Amino acid sequence: MNRMMISFMLNGRRIETSVAPKTTLVELLREHLGMTGTKHACDSGACGSCTVSVGGRTVNSCSVLAVQIDGMEVGTVEGLAEGPDLHPLQEAFLDHGGLQCGFCTPGMLMSARDLLRRNPSPSAQEAREAIAGNICRCTGYVKIVESILAAAGKMREKK
Amino acid sequence: MKDFEYIRARSVDHALEVLAEKGESAVKIAGGQSLLNILKQGLMAPDCLVDIKGLEELDFIESNPGTGFRIGALTTHASILDSEVLQSSCGVLASMERHLATVQVRNWGTIGGNLCMADPSSDAAPVLIALGSTAHIRGPEGAREVPLGEFFLGYYETVVQPGELLTEISFPAIPPATGVSYEKFRNVEGDAPIVVSSAFVSLEKDGRTLSDARVVLGGVASTPVRATAVEDALKGVKLTPAAVESASGLVAESTSPIPDVVCSAEYRNKIARVLAKRTLLSAFEEAKAAVGGKKHR
Amino acid sequence: MEYSVLGKKVRRVDGAAKVTGQAKYTVDMALPGMLAGKLLRSPHPHARIVSIDASAAKALPGVAAVITAEDTLKLTFGNWRRYPHLLDEHPLAPDKVRFIGDEIAAVAAADEDTAEEALTLIEVEYEILPAVFDPVEAMQDGAPQIHTGPNVRNNVSETRHIEFGDVDAAFRACDRIREDDFSLHAVSHAAMEPHASLAQTDTDGRLTIWTSTQVPYYVQILLAHTLGMPEGKIRVIRPHVGGGWGGKIELFKDQYCAARLSQITGKPVKIVYTREEEFSCTRRRTPMKYHLKTGYMKDGTLVAKEARAVLDGGAYNAMGPTALYLTGFFQMFPYDIPNYRYDGFHVYTNKNPSSAMRGFGGPQAEFTCDSQLDMIAADLGMDPAELRLRNLMKPGHEIKGYCKVASCGIEECIRKAMKSTGWKKKRGNLQFGRGIGMGCYGFMSGGVFNWINTPYAFSAAMIRMSVDGFAEVYVGSAEIGQGSDTVMAQIAAETLGIPMDMIRVTSGDTAVCPPDLGAWGSRQTLMTGNAVKMAAEDVKKQVLEAASGMMEQNIVYSYDMRDGKVFVKERPDRTIPYQDAVKAAVRARGGLQIVGRGLYTPHGKGMVSPAFSFGAQVSEVDVDVETGKVSMVNVTTAHDCGQVINELGVEGQLEGAFVMGQGYVLSENLATDDGKVLNPSFVDYKVMRAPDVPLNFTSLMVETYEPEGPYGAKEAGEGLTNPNAGCIANAIYDAVGVRIYDMPITPEKILAALEEKKAAAGKKKPGKKPAARKPRKPARPAKKTRK
Ligand SMILES: Cc1cc2nc3c(=O)[nH]c(=O)nc-3n(C[C@H](O)[C@H](O)[C@H](O)COP(=O)(O)OP(=O)(O)OC[C@H]3O[C@@H](n4cnc5c(N)ncnc54)[C@H](O)[C@@H]3O)c2cc1C
Ligand code: FES
Ligand code: FES
C-alpha cells in the first residue's frame, strides 16, 4: 500500500505522519492520532459530527482526504479550550443545556465557533442556519441556539 | 474504499498531463464532497486520484462591467457566497449559495465540482444556466467553450471528458431591464432541493411586456431543463400574475421526472409549476424595478 | 420546602468531559492488538440457508476468525425470559434469514478493510422463499410463514386484549359514533452514536465488554445465556452513550459477535455499525394500522372507545409485544373513558424488526386519538380543547386491574397551554394557511414490566461516604444523554445536604454497580432516583447517629444535615461539620466505611407503571397551500413531571422530544421496497435540522407531587414524543381544513388533499359537513381474522 508523508498543524502543534491516500481526515484524527474528540457518525458529509476547521473554516472531516490537508492548519474540539479555561462557547453549552448525549457537541462547537468568528453578533436565525449541517438528535436545537447566542454576548462583553 | 494513487496537480497543465498519462483510470478530485461518497459506496474505484483542489489559478471571481463575470472552477461555494462583488452585482448567486448544502460542504466544495457532478438536483446549475453561462473546458486539444445549457448530458454525466478539466464559468453582465430569481423547494433545511427553479426575465421598455425569458428547472429530469413551453407562452406578452400562472401550467411539457423515495413524479411537476410561477413573478418584479431604475443589483 | 439543588438549572455532571472532547464513547475506545469485526448480513428478505462456506474467508491473510451459527449455542434469546414463547431470534441465523440484514456470520480481522473483504469471500447458498411485507397480507391464510411454532398462527406472534366497562352497551346508548382508520409508518432511532462494542476475553475466561447500550445488566445476563457462561464472569461497561431512544435496550449482534470473536481469538474485538447498518438492520418504530371507534354524547362526553391495531412487527418480536400492549393502553390516556376495548395483533413481516422507541407505542396511539378527538369536536361544533377538558382523568383515577393514577396535572397543563398561546382567540380564527392544534398525553414513569425475570430489585443504589465528606454513588442506571447521572447526583446531594460537587456518580459498570433494569420506559428518575434517595437516607442516618453521640443534646431533639452541616432540628444554630460526624461514625465501627444502600421495586401499583406523567401540547403551523409544506411557527408544551429535578434537563428533554416528534410527523420515513430500506443514510433519511424547528418554543412546568416518586418527581421527555403527530395534524386541519390519516404527513399528501377538497367543493354545495354516523345503523362488521 502506498503511503504519503504529510505535515500539518493540529491545534497549534506540528504533526508529521504518513497516511494512505484513501485515509480521510477523520480517520487520521481518530484512528491514527487517537484524537477521538471529533466524532464520526455518518461518513457521508451529512451530519456534521466530524466538523473540524481547516485553514480557518469548518469542513466535514469525513469528506476530506488527509492528504489534502498537507501544509494546512487543522483545529479540533480538543483545541478549543485555552489551557484550563474553557472557551466561552463551552461554558455556555454547559450553562444553557446545549448538550445531552454530547455526541454532536464537538462538531456543534466547531460550527458555532466558525459562525462567531465571522459574525460576532448573530441573530437566532443566523445561528440556526450556521448549524444546519450539524444534526443533533437529542436537544431539538433550542438550547444549542441559546448557548451560541449567550456565548456571543459574553465574547462581545470581553472585548 | 479501494486504495488509489494520489497525485496533487501543481497547475492546470500538470493536471492535464497526468490525466493524459493515466487515461481512464484516473479521476479528478476537487473538494471531494460528492466524489468521496461515490468512492466510499464503491460506485467508482479509480486507480488514481488527481487532486485539483489546490489550483489557485482556477480559484477566482472576476467581474468586468463590460464582459461580465468569470468564476474559476475551483472557487468554493463559500467564496461565492462571501464575494462582495457578486453580492452587489449578482445577488441571485449569493442567495442560491446561501441555501446550497451546509456551511461545511460550502467551505470545501467547489462550483466546478458541483457542475461536473451533474446531480440533476444541483442548486447551482439552474441559476447559472438562467444567467446565460458558458462552461470553459480545457483538455489535451486545448480549450473549448460550451453553453452551460448544453453541458449536462444525463444523470451524473457532462460533456467534460476524462482527460479534460472544467476551468471556469462565465456569464454576461446582467443587462438593464432584467431580473433573475431563484427558489428551492425542500422539506427539511440543509437538504438538497426536491425541485429548484431559476428564472431570467427581460422586459420591453414599457416595463411590462416580456421580451425574453429563461426558466430553468432542476430536479425534474435527468439534467436541468429549460421550460421552453412556458418561456414561449410568455414572449411578447404583457406580464400579469394570471398570465404567469397560466403559462407555468406548461412546465410539464419540458420535464420528465421519475418517482423516488421522496415523492411522486406528479408532485415534482406540481412543485415545478409553482416554483416556475414564483421565480417568474419575482424576476418580473425585479425587472420592473430595474426599468423604473428603482433598484440596483 | 425550599430545596437546595432540586428544581434548579444545574450543569450536567458529564458536561465538561463532553464539551472538551474528553468523553469516551464506545466508538472512541481502542485496546492494543484490537481486531475489527464485521457482520455478514442477508441480502434476501426471506430465504433458507442451504450451506455456508467460510473457508476462503478464513484463509484470507489478516483474518483471525469467522463465526457462523455453528460456532454458537444456537439458542434463542431476547428480553422475554419470563415469556419464552416470544424468544425467536438467534445470535447468528442457523437455518433461515427473515429480513434483508439478518445476521449470518461475523469476521474478526486485522482491520476493517480486511474484515470487509473477508465478508465477500463467505459463500452462502440460499433457497429463496416467498416473502411478505404487509402485516395485513401476512395475516391471511396462505401467506408465507415467517416463523413456525405452537404460538404463531398466520404470522401473528402475539395478541393483546384490554377491556373494561361494558363497551357494547355503551356504544348502544351513546348519541353518536365515529369510526376512522389510520396508518402509521416506520421511523428510525438514528442515534448519533451507532451501535458499537469492544469485547475482551482474559486468559481466565472472563469477558469484559464496553458497549453503547441502555441496559448494561440485560447485556450481561443475555450474553451469559447466549454464550453459556456464568453472569459473574461477564462485565459490561457502558461508556458515554451517544443516544438510544429504545434502540439500544436489547442484546444486539454487535455485542454477541464481539464477545464470541474475542473468546475465539483471545484478542479484543471491536464492532461498530455503519450508518447504513444503523438504518437498515437495527430496530425501528413499529408501523401500525389502527381502527378507532368512539362513542360520545351530544354534550361531548366520551362514553366508549374501541381500538384495533395491527402491528407490522418485522422479522422478530424484539420489544414489539410491549409496544403492542402500550399502544392499546395509552390510547385511552389522558381521558376518563369508562368503557374501553382494545385488540392488538403483532404480526411478523420480512422487514427489520420493530421494537421500542421513545413513546413505545404511544406516538401511534396519540396520533389516532388526538386526530379523532378533533374530528369529534368538529362534529359537535365544540372547541377541541373544551372537549378534552370535559373528559380528563383526575388525580386518583383508577382503572381496575390495570393502574392507579396518583398525581395528575393534565387539566392545569391544558389550561396553562391555552392561556399561554391565546388558544381561544386563535383556534378557528387564524387566516387561511395558518393553524393551531392541540394534543395531549399521559405516559408511564417507569414500567412495571419484568419480562427479563430478574430476582433483583428494579433499581438499586449504593453510596459510600469517605471521611472528607465526598460521596461515591453507584447506580446501574444508564446515562445515555438523558441526564440521569445528574439527576442521581442532585437527589443524593439534596438528601445528604451537601453540594453536588462532592458527589460522584458511577453508573453502568456491572462489576461495580448494583443491577438496574436500565434506561427504558422513563424509569430512571423515579425508580433509580428512589433507590438513590433511600441509599442517601441510609448514609445520613449513620452520620446522624454518630453526630448525636458527639453533640450530646437533649434526647428529645432530632438531627438533620444541610449545607454541609449536621444541625439540631429544634435548635438549628447548633451545628457541627458533617465530616466530623462521618469520621466519628467510621471510628466507632472499627474503621468500616459508611455505606448506604437503597432499592426500589414497584409494589401494588398495577401492571403498567407506578406513576404517570401528563402534558398538553399546542403547535402553530403555517401551511404553504401551493406546495403543501408545513412550517412550525410556535410550540408550547405544558408538562406535569411532578417535582422538577433539573429544570435544564427537563426543558432539554421536552424540546428534544418535540423535535423528534416533529420529524416523525413531517419528514422522517424509513421507507422500504420489497423489504429493502430505501434511504439508509442521513442524506436520504430526513431528520429535522436547526432551521426547521420552531423559533419559539415555550416549556411550561406544571408541578404536581407524585407520592411514589423521589421528592415527588416523575417522567419527563419520553411522553412528549406522543402528542406531536396529532397536535400538528390538528394544526394543519385548522390551517387548511384537510385531515391526513396516514403518516407521515408529507407536503405531497397535504397538497393532494387540498386538491381533492377543492374538487369536491366544486361539485358539492357547501354547507353540510359529512356527519358522524348515528349508532343505530349497523356497526361495522367485525373482521373475521380474529383468532
Ligand atoms: C451533505 C451534502 C449536501 C449537499 N447539498 C447540496 C445542495 O443542497 N445543493 C447542491 O447543489 N449540492 C449539494 N451537495 C453537493 C455539493 O454541492 C457538491 O458536493 C460540491 O459542490 C461538489 O464540489 P467538490 O469540489 O467537492 O466536487 P468533487 O466531489 O471533488 O467532484 C465531483 C465530481 O466532479 C468532478 N470534478 C470536480 N471538479 C472538476 C473540474 N474542475 N473539472 C472536471 N471535473 C471535475 C470530479 O471528478 C467528480 O466526478 C451536497 C453535498 C453533500 C455531501
Ligand atoms: S461523519 Fe462526517 S458529516 Fe457525518
Ligand atoms: S446532544 Fe446528543 S446528538 Fe446532540
Side-chain angles (χ1 to χ4, degrees):
Chain A
M1 192 172 43
N2 60 338
R3 296 184 77 85
M4 303 183 71
M5 279 306 295
I6 56 169
S7 157
F8 64 103
M9 298 298 285
L10 178 59
N11 298 331
R13 204 158 48 95
R14 175 159 301 283
I15 303 279
E16 290 188 22
T17 182
S18 82
V19 289
K22 70 168 185 174
T23 309
T24 55
L25 177 54
V26 71
E27 288 166 346
L28 171 67
L29 292 170
R30 288 176 52 83
E31 285 157 39
H32 302 220
L33 302 175
M35 303 275 286
T36 55
T38 302
K39 299 300 178 224
H40 194 185
C42 78
D43 204 36
S44 62
C47 78
S49 57
C50 65
T51 304
V52 303
S53 71
V54 170
R57 292 301 309 267
T58 48
V59 300
N60 289 319
S61 58
C62 70
S63 299
V64 171
L65 291 175
V67 284
Q68 291 191 292
I69 54 103
D70 188 22
M72 302 189 77
E73 281 193 34
V74 176
T76 68
V77 68
E78 287 97 339
L80 216 48
E82 284 177 28
D85 294 333
L86 294 183
H87 187 278
L89 274 165
Q90 293 171 314
E91 295 280 0
F93 270 58
L94 293 175
D95 283 336
H96 295 267
L99 72 150
Q100 289 179 24
C101 83
F103 207 78
C104 70
T105 310
M108 227 23 120
L109 287 165
M110 296 309 286
S111 286
R113 185 178 66 164
D114 182 68
L115 168 71
L116 297 188
R117 276 181 175 172
R118 287 178 289 121
N119 179 358
S121 318
S123 66
Q125 185 55 25
E126 285 166 337
R128 284 148 56 100
E129 285 178 11
I131 57 166
N134 295 74
I135 295 176
C136 174
R137 196 63 166 153
C138 294
T139 62
Y141 307 101
V142 180
K143 298 217 176 310
I144 294 180
V145 171
E146 265 173 48
S147 303
I148 294 173
L149 298 183
K154 283 262 162 66
M155 287 164 76
R156 287 195 304 270
E157 268 169 34
K158 261 199 205 160
K159 275 186 186 153
Chain B
M1 211 191 314
K2 205 188 77 156
D3 279 309
F4 48 77
E5 183 188 4
Y6 170 87
I7 299 173
R8 186 187 280 213
R10 293 183 299 273
S11 64
V12 173
D13 291 336
H14 177 226
L16 293 175
E17 244 169 64
V18 176
L19 289 170
E21 181 195 322
K22 300 279 172 184
E24 303 242 332
S25 66
V27 161
K28 294 146 279 202
I29 179 168
Q33 300 300 291
S34 295
L35 182 70
L36 288 178
N37 283 343
I38 291 169
L39 301 188
K40 285 173 186 175
Q41 286 170 30
L43 300 174
M44 258 166 101
D47 294 326
C48 174
L49 278 200
V50 181
D51 186 356
I52 57 174
K53 168 91 174 143
L55 295 181
E56 279 175 16
E57 58 191 298
L58 298 185
D59 180 4
F60 61 84
I61 296 171
E62 263 182 41
S63 136
N64 299 319
T67 50
F69 301 89
R70 293 175 59 214
I71 301 177
L74 270 305
T75 310
T76 61
H77 298 291
S79 304
I80 297 175
L81 175 56
D82 294 343
S83 157
E84 278 169 23
V85 169
L86 291 176
Q87 272 168 13
S88 63
S89 49
C90 186
V92 69
L93 261 191
S95 90
M96 180 278 288
E97 288 288 6
R98 184 167 307 118
H99 297 103
L100 183 144
T102 63
V103 177
Q104 295 94 319
V105 173
R106 293 198 293 268
N107 281 344
W108 199 251
T110 66
I111 187 73
N114 183 297
L115 297 173
C116 291
M117 191 60 222
D119 187 319
S121 56
S122 155
D123 276 293
V127 186
L128 288 169
I129 294 173
L131 287 168
S133 299
T134 303
H136 299 251
I137 297 167
R138 272 183 62 189
E141 269 99 65
R144 63 188 180 114
E145 292 177 11
V146 177
L148 196 61
E150 293 161 25
F151 182 82
F152 302 99
L153 300 178
Y155 287 106
Y156 309 107
E157 201 188 337
T158 71
V159 298
V160 180
Q161 297 302 303
E164 293 183 319
L165 283 186
L166 173 69
T167 52
E168 71 177 74
I169 295 295
S170 66
F171 52 91
I174 298 172
T178 59
V180 211
S181 65
Y182 150 91
E183 192 168 328
K184 164 179 196 168
F185 180 78
R186 54 184 168 180
N187 197 22
V188 298
E189 296 301 309
D191 207 4
I194 295 174
V195 177
V196 57
S197 171
S198 183
F200 170 91
V201 164
S202 87
L203 298 178
E204 305 283 358
K205 282 196 200 70
D206 66 355
R208 303 232 33 190
T209 312
L210 184 131
S211 64
D212 193 13
R214 287 192 286 271
V215 179
V216 193
L217 297 161
V220 288
S222 62
T223 64
V225 291
R226 286 276 292 268
T228 44
V230 179
E231 296 171 3
D232 292 345
L234 290 173
K235 269 185 202 144
V237 170
K238 275 200 183 0
L239 289 189
T240 59
V244 170
E245 170 103 51
S246 103
S248 302
L250 301 171
V251 282
E253 292 190 15
S254 313
T255 65
S256 45
I258 48 169
D260 63 8
V261 63
V262 177
C263 64
S264 68
E266 302 80 72
Y267 185 69
R268 278 186 198 267
N269 272 339
K270 287 180 195 168
I271 298 300
R273 196 181 77 202
V274 173
L275 292 199
K277 179 187 80 176
R278 289 181 182 175
T279 48
L280 274 165
L281 286 175
S282 51
F284 174 44
E285 287 304 317
E286 197 180 291
K288 266 199 301 195
V291 172
K294 275 177 257 163
K295 200 183 139 195
H296 74 268
R297 276 181 216 98
Chain C
M1 165 171 180
E2 178 58 28
Y3 293 121
S4 49
V5 283
L6 295 189
K8 306 261 152 45
K9 295 196 174 191
V10 308
R11 287 184 170 198
R12 303 177 58 92
V13 295
D14 55 4
K18 286 176 173 176
V19 296
T20 50
Q22 285 164 3
K24 290 273 184 207
Y25 299 72
T26 305
V27 293
D28 299 332
M29 314 216 31
L31 288 171
M34 178 172 88
L35 300 173
K38 287 265 167 204
L39 304 181
L40 181 69
R41 298 175 177 283
S42 167
H44 305 296
H46 200 190
R48 201 171 66 77
I49 300 173
V50 179
S51 65
I52 305 179
D53 180 359
S55 53
K58 284 182 182 164
L60 183 74
V63 171
V66 180
I67 55 171
T68 65
E70 294 309 313
D71 304 285
T72 72
L73 297 174
K74 296 193 184 170
L75 297 173
T76 54
F77 73 98
N79 286 354
W80 304 102
R81 299 205 306 180
R82 183 177 287 279
Y83 309 99
H85 69 278
L86 292 174
L87 300 177
D88 57 5
E89 201 170 359
H90 290 86
L92 292 169
D95 46 10
K96 228 173 105 158
V97 284
R98 297 179 173 88
F99 74 100
I100 296 175
D102 214 349
E103 295 83 358
I104 299 167
V107 173
D111 54 56
E112 287 206 6
D113 283 353
T114 312
E116 241 156 48
E117 195 183 339
L119 292 184
T120 66
L121 299 175
I122 302 175
E123 281 182 27
V124 186
E125 193 187 324
Y126 298 98
E127 177 196 332
I128 309 243
L129 301 172
V132 60
F133 307 107
D134 179 81
V136 176
E137 276 172 35
M139 288 167 85
Q140 306 304 315
D141 288 336
Q145 300 296 300
I146 298 171
H147 290 266
T148 47
N151 296 293
V152 185
R153 197 175 319 137
N154 280 353
N155 292 310
V156 175
S157 77
E158 184 70 326
T159 59
R160 296 280 192 193
H161 180 78
I162 298 174
E163 182 159 357
F164 53 81
D166 187 342
V167 180
D168 296 319
F171 272 121
R172 280 194 300 273
C174 66
D175 290 337
R176 297 185 186 186
I177 293 179
R178 237 207 111 85
E179 290 191 63
D180 295 288
D181 288 287
F182 299 92
S183 96
L184 297 118
H185 63 306
V187 291
S188 176
H189 306 82
M192 293 313 291
E193 185 193 26
H195 291 75
S197 296
L198 168 60
Q200 181 177 35
T201 302
D202 293 342
T203 42
D204 62 1
R206 285 174 195 267
L207 177 81
T208 305
I209 181 165
W210 292 261
T211 186
S212 185
T213 182
Q214 303 174 237
V215 287
Y217 171 60
Y218 288 6
V219 173
Q220 180 192 16
I221 60 183
L222 297 181
L223 272 180
H225 165 70
T226 48
L227 293 169
M229 283 170 75
E231 289 171 18
K233 280 197 151 186
I234 297 174
R235 177 179 187 182
V236 178
I237 301 176
R238 172 204 51 75
H240 293 282
V241 172
W245 299 290
K248 297 174 181 169
I249 72 161
E250 300 162 70
L251 175 71
F252 290 106
K253 310 304 168 75
D254 59 311
Q255 292 155 340
Y256 175 85
C257 291
R260 186 76 190 104
L261 285 166
S262 84
Q263 287 183 329
I264 291 176
T265 61
K267 299 235 172 79
V269 176
K270 182 175 175 183
I271 298 181
V272 179
Y273 284 1
T274 63
R275 187 52 60 183
E276 188 179 347
E277 284 177 299
E278 283 294 306
F279 278 115
S280 46
C281 313
T282 65
R283 309 310 201 202
R284 52 183 191 146
R285 189 187 289 292
T286 315
M288 299 187 188
K289 290 192 176 16
Y290 242 108
H291 182 76
L292 213 58
K293 177 176 166 188
T294 302
Y296 50 101
M297 307 309 284
K298 284 193 192 119
D299 67 355
T301 309
L302 305 176
V303 291
K305 188 168 191 176
E306 184 176 50
R308 184 177 191 276
V310 175
L311 276 66
D312 174 356
Y316 298 99
N317 275 325
M319 293 313 296
T322 301
L324 179 73
Y325 183 76
L326 291 178
T327 196
F329 185 80
F330 286 112
Q331 177 62 249
M332 59 191 158
F333 268 62
Y335 306 105
D336 179 4
I337 304 175
N339 306 288
Y340 177 66
R341 176 157 62 219
Y342 165 73
D343 280 290
F345 304 82
H346 190 260
V347 187
Y348 289 127
T349 58
N350 292 112
K351 293 189 281 196
N352 46 333
S354 308
S355 192
M357 182 171 173
R358 201 176 200 172
F360 220 164
Q364 297 94 323
E366 298 292 11
F367 169 68
T368 65
C369 172
D370 275 320
S371 295
Q372 197 185 51
L373 280 180
D374 268 41
M375 293 188 257
I376 290 172
D379 170 46
L380 294 171
M382 241 178 123
D383 175 349
E386 289 299 334
L387 176 69
R388 286 174 171 78
L389 283 168
R390 183 177 288 267
N391 291 286
L392 292 177
M393 285 177 179
K394 305 256 172 344
H397 183 83
E398 184 172 1
I399 305 171
K400 286 242 156 37
Y402 291 92
C403 69
K404 204 168 165 180
V405 176
S407 61
C408 171
I410 181 63
E411 181 173 345
E412 197 188 339
C413 289
I414 296 182
R415 295 200 189 280
K416 261 196 166 171
M418 287 172 76
K419 190 156 172 235
S420 152
T421 54
W423 172 270
K424 286 263 179 220
K425 258 203 331 249
K426 286 183 176 168
R427 156 78 210 185
N429 300 321
L430 296 167
Q431 87 245 27
F432 188 71
R434 175 164 291 193
I436 188 165
M438 178 179 283
C440 296
Y441 63 101
F443 197 62
M444 61 183 162
S445 185
V448 188
F449 312 126
N450 190 12
W451 348 276
I452 203 77
N453 204 17
T454 177
Y456 290 120
F458 280 16
S459 284
M462 191 175 82
I463 300 179
R464 290 188 353 211
M465 184 164 269
S466 45
V467 287
D468 60 357
F470 278 77
E472 300 280 358
V473 177
Y474 301 90
V475 280
S477 51
E479 169 63 67
I480 56 170
Q482 85 283 45
S484 68
D485 279 0
T486 306
V487 162
M488 299 316 148
Q490 283 180 275
I491 291 175
E494 188 68 50
T495 311
L496 292 170
I498 64 176
M500 258 181 88
D501 59 11
M502 297 190 73
I503 309 257
R504 172 164 48 204
V505 177
T506 302
S507 66
D509 178 343
T510 60
V512 183
C513 308
D516 186 293
L517 299 187
W520 55 265
S522 293
R523 51 180 303 285
Q524 307 273 230
T525 294
L526 187 142
M527 296 199 183
T528 315
N530 269 325
V532 168
K533 181 162 181 272
M534 184 173 162
E537 279 163 355
D538 186 5
V539 167
K540 186 155 104 176
K541 184 165 161 278
Q542 298 174 49
V543 177
L544 296 184
E545 272 167 13
S548 116
M550 293 166 76
M551 292 174 80
E552 293 186 4
Q553 299 290 309
N554 183 338
I555 191 68
V556 302
Y557 288 169
S558 50
Y559 302 84
D560 202 353
M561 280 164 71
R562 201 176 162 88
D563 301 330
K565 293 187 190 86
V566 175
F567 64 95
V568 180
K569 270 187 175 169
E570 292 77 1
R571 294 284 167 87
D573 53 310
R574 299 184 188 167
T575 66
I576 56 167
Y578 78 104
Q579 288 94 334
D580 293 355
V582 173
K583 272 182 215 134
V586 169
R587 283 181 194 284
R589 268 178 282 168
L592 258 188
Q593 191 174 29
I594 293 184
V595 175
R597 303 185 6 139
L599 48 73
Y600 178 82
T601 305
H603 293 290
K605 295 288 156 196
M607 293 315 288
V608 182
S609 178
F612 296 88
S613 67
F614 292 92
Q617 171 74 27
V618 174
S619 301
E620 218 175 314
V621 303
D622 272 338
V623 180
D624 179 337
V625 292
E626 287 187 318
T627 63
K629 180 170 166 163
V630 176
S631 330
M632 301 304 304
V633 183
N634 288 312
V635 168
T636 301
T637 191
H639 182 67
D640 158 24
C641 60
Q643 163 71 43
V644 172
I645 305 275
N646 181 5
E647 197 179 336
L648 214 47
V650 173
E651 285 178 4
Q653 281 293 306
L654 295 178
E655 290 155 3
F658 173 79
V659 172
M660 196 177 268
Q662 186 190 346
Y664 178 52
V665 208
L666 296 178
S667 69
E668 294 181 34
N669 184 10
L670 194 70
T672 50
D673 186 20
D674 285 348
K676 187 165 178 53
V677 173
L678 298 173
N679 48 357
S681 73
F682 275 125
V683 175
D684 296 318
Y685 181 90
K686 316 284 186 188
V687 301
M688 290 289 149
R689 291 170 183 269
D692 296 303
V693 311
L695 252 180
N696 303 309
F697 192 106
T698 310
S699 302
L700 307 168
M701 305 289 163
V702 169
E703 285 191 82
T704 56
Y705 183 86
E706 170 52 49
E708 190 68 8
Y711 293 100
K714 50 187 182 177
E715 183 270 350
E718 182 167 8
L720 183 60
T721 325
N722 300 354
N724 299 310
C727 175
I728 292 173
N730 290 340
I732 292 169
Y733 183 84
D734 187 45
V736 294
V738 301
R739 172 77 48 199
I740 310 294
Y741 296 81
D742 61 324
M743 291 257 288
I745 305 183
T746 59
E748 179 164 8
K749 286 181 195 164
I750 294 176
L751 191 62
L754 279 167
E755 284 167 357
E756 212 173 279
K757 191 180 143 201
K758 224 181 192 176
K763 272 188 229 131
K764 259 192 280 168
K765 285 208 166 142
K768 249 195 152 177
K769 279 189 214 139
R773 258 189 299 120
K774 291 272 181 305
R776 301 292 160 197
K777 282 183 196 163
R780 192 173 198 268
K783 286 249 165 74
K784 290 274 150 56
T785 41
R786 284 181 209 184
K787 41 169 230 180

